[in-house]
Amino acid sequence: MTRSRTRAALTGTVLMLGTCLAAPPALADEADPSAILVTGRGLEDGPATPAYDVTIIDRDAVIASASGRIEDVLSSVAGFQLFRRSDSRAANPSAQGVTLRALGGNASSRALVLLDGVPVANPFFGYIPLSALNPDRLASVRVTRGGGMGAFGTGAVSGTIDLTSAGPDEIGALQASALVDQRGETQLSATTAPRLGDGFLTASVQWDRGKGFWTTPKDQRVPASVRARYESWSGSLRAVAPLNDTVEIQASGLVYDDERTLRFDGADSTSSGQQGSLRLVGRGDWQFDVLGYVQAQDFSNIVISSSRFTKVLDQAKTPTLAVGGKAELRPPVGDAHVLRLGADIRLSQGHLVETPYSAFSGQATAFRRAGGDQSDLGLYAEDDWTLGAFVLTAGLRADRWTIRNGFYRESNPDGAISEDTTFADRSGWNTNVRGGVVWNVTETVSLRAAAYTGMRLPTLNELYRPFVVFPVTTQANAALKPEKLRGYEAGIELHPSDAFTLSLTAFDNRLKDAIANVTIATNLRQRQNVNAIRARGIEASADLSLGQVSLTGSLAWTDAKVEASGIQFALDGMRPSQVPKLAASATLAWAPRSGWRLAATLRHVGMQYEDDLQTDILPAATTLDAYAQIPLAGPFSLVLRGENLTDETVMTRNQSGSIDLGAPRTVWAGLRIGL
């Protein structure tokens, strides 16, 4: 059933792309000097967007990371955090949850990640398919720390990350690169964006492959230990065309596949997906943005015993399907107002199929299936109102959510059912509000303040799927409640000149009923709602541009604590697992002439705890990265990249002394072509 739906999704994507490609020749008139301008983007941001803590990463910085991976780009925003410090070469995909503002503690994303308006998180696990998000395809990244749900959609309890695709202006006829590192690993990418009449087409492919680095420390390696091998590829196709002088149609398709091996030979994981979307954007008097999408994803994983080094679990597949959409209308209510009225919906379903094995006999001991359905329908209204030097914003959102058809079924090898549990359906309404103000005191000083709420449903993974990271077993919990956020913040923006800007934000966020992995016995944890996670802190960012030289920096200091009582009282006052108190990043760049870029990035991540009881420590780490692009002849440039040039030991996992490490010193060299 899932395969047929996947084929249907891909067929629909092809048809949508065909529709867009057919439109431009009929509408185009190359001799017309007043040719229609299409952007390939959504509606413009409202004037009150600066009321929230927003950071924008431009294309020059996006495509100039040391690793060429999107998580490396996002790490320049202090407060951004993956569940573990590992990147998308050396982490289990299901651990790639993204969060902001120290509201972590489990592997599901608490930040909403959008690609051209489409949420990209895996509907079953909540992880982000990072290896599929090629930075070369992007025009910019906007990170909003905090801000609540508003018009973005459900799940934005710690913030929103908007990825915007690039078009012909950024890409040109062709952008391609080929690089190799000292281990013989390769990274290939090519993107083209030809104009077709008044519209354009963007096509892109990427392929990464490598034997990987050792994640296991030398003194803990055994004959079964292997490097973190990886191979991933993705392809995207996007078409944009005008339907008339104010309306454009955008169609996108993305396919990807990722294979990794972690710690032991045979410990293989895969993640794959296909998605298609269709979007209509109207920029007339009555502005509108209508978006529909479909996603099909899968995940598999084999767990190897760390004592006998045999297969103990085969998570054969986790097929998931999500369909959704959004419709927003902005009526003409006067120059002083930007009124947004809209609705969005997301329907998702998924289940796992897995088989545990005996570490001694190698025989299957059971056959398991678990999963369910979720839905969320949101209705929202938001108004930005400009009053002289003040810009006010206020929004209201109501969500109707359901969790249905949950089940856990286990049978013996002979087919006899040993457990067959059907969980009660649940549903509810949740109302969220947000508001803020920007006071442009002078041309160089702006003050802002905001308050907001948000919600995140527990993922199907948290509800129904137990897992093991030896020697610890973590149980699922079908009774988990939605998380609810309440947040406040205030900040100041200083921009005394075009060459310098400084932003400072103080915030207080409280995530009620936060889902955490709670220790309930020796080597046994369960996903539970704790009373809350309270995160209070300061975020700062600065940009200095002195002609050819620029310096950007970001810092986040956060005091995050768990609020717990009753049987969870031992956690009260503890810092959430995997959450640092301090994170900072600074990049110094020099562009002596067109086509040149020399940059160095220094990052620091403070000490973190592996577990909820603060017994296992991940020490602080400071790394140095570098990037150089030097034009050669014609369209060719030499590219040199260096990751962790000081070869800092970055501990990514510490399970009672069983340790994983992050990327060591890695040096890349290759060519880039731009036409």
Side-chain angles (χ1 to χ4, degrees), residues 44-54 144 146-152 328 330 336-341 380-397 432-440 447-453 487 489:
E44 296 298 320
D45 296 331
T49 298
Y52 305 99
D53 190 3
V54 176
T144 304
M149 287 178 18
F152 300 120
E328 178 175 306
R330 299 186 185 182
H337 288 271
V338 175
L339 177 62
R340 307 171 68 177
L341 305 172
Y380 64 87
E382 189 163 287
D383 185 33
D384 295 353
W385 189 12
T386 302
L387 288 171
F390 292 88
V391 182
L392 309 177
T393 182
L396 174 67
R397 180 182 174 92
N432 290 283
V433 296
R434 70 177 195 158
V437 58
V438 179
W439 178 22
N440 297 310
L447 301 178
R448 54 183 169 79
Y452 41 81
T453 64
E489 64 185 64

Side-chain angles (χ1 to χ4, degrees), residues 73-150:
V73 175
L74 291 169
S75 293
S76 65
V77 180
F80 169 83
Q81 179 194 352
L82 296 174
F83 175 63
R84 296 193 184 278
R85 295 172 174 179
S86 304
D87 65 19
S88 55
R89 293 167 293 192
N92 189 289
S94 64
Q96 291 178 173
V98 168
T99 192
L100 298 158
R101 288 205 162 156
L103 289 174
N106 69 23
S108 297
S109 292
R110 288 190 168 116
L112 177 64
V113 181
L114 304 170
L115 175 61
D116 298 318
V118 177
V120 298
N122 180 281
F124 188 91
F125 293 94
Y127 70 79
I128 307 301
L130 297 171
S131 61
L133 304 176
N134 182 6
D136 285 352
R137 300 171 185 154
L138 302 178
S140 64
V141 177
R142 184 180 66 186
V143 180
T144 304
R145 291 175 281 199
M149 287 178 18

Side-chain angles (χ1 to χ4, degrees), residues 41-43 243-244 246-248 279-291 327-331 341:
R41 304 181 183 182
L43 296 177
L243 295 182
N244 56 41
T246 61
V247 180
E248 68 180 63
R279 189 179 198 180
L280 292 174
V281 179
R283 295 184 171 86
D285 292 337
W286 287 77
Q287 298 185 14
F288 60 86
D289 189 341
V290 180
L291 169 71
E328 178 175 306
L329 180 66
R330 299 186 185 182
L341 305 172

Side-chain angles (χ1 to χ4, degrees), residues 346-384:
R346 183 171 173 87
L347 311 172
S348 58
Q349 62 178 33
H351 67 274
L352 66 88
V353 177
E354 64 180 26
T355 304
Y357 289 83
S358 168
F360 298 93
S361 68
Q363 300 298 310
T365 59
F367 178 75
R368 301 172 183 155
R369 294 188 64 181
D373 304 340
Q374 288 183 325
S375 70
D376 184 275
L377 171 63
L379 306 172
Y380 64 87
E382 189 163 287
D383 185 33
D384 295 353

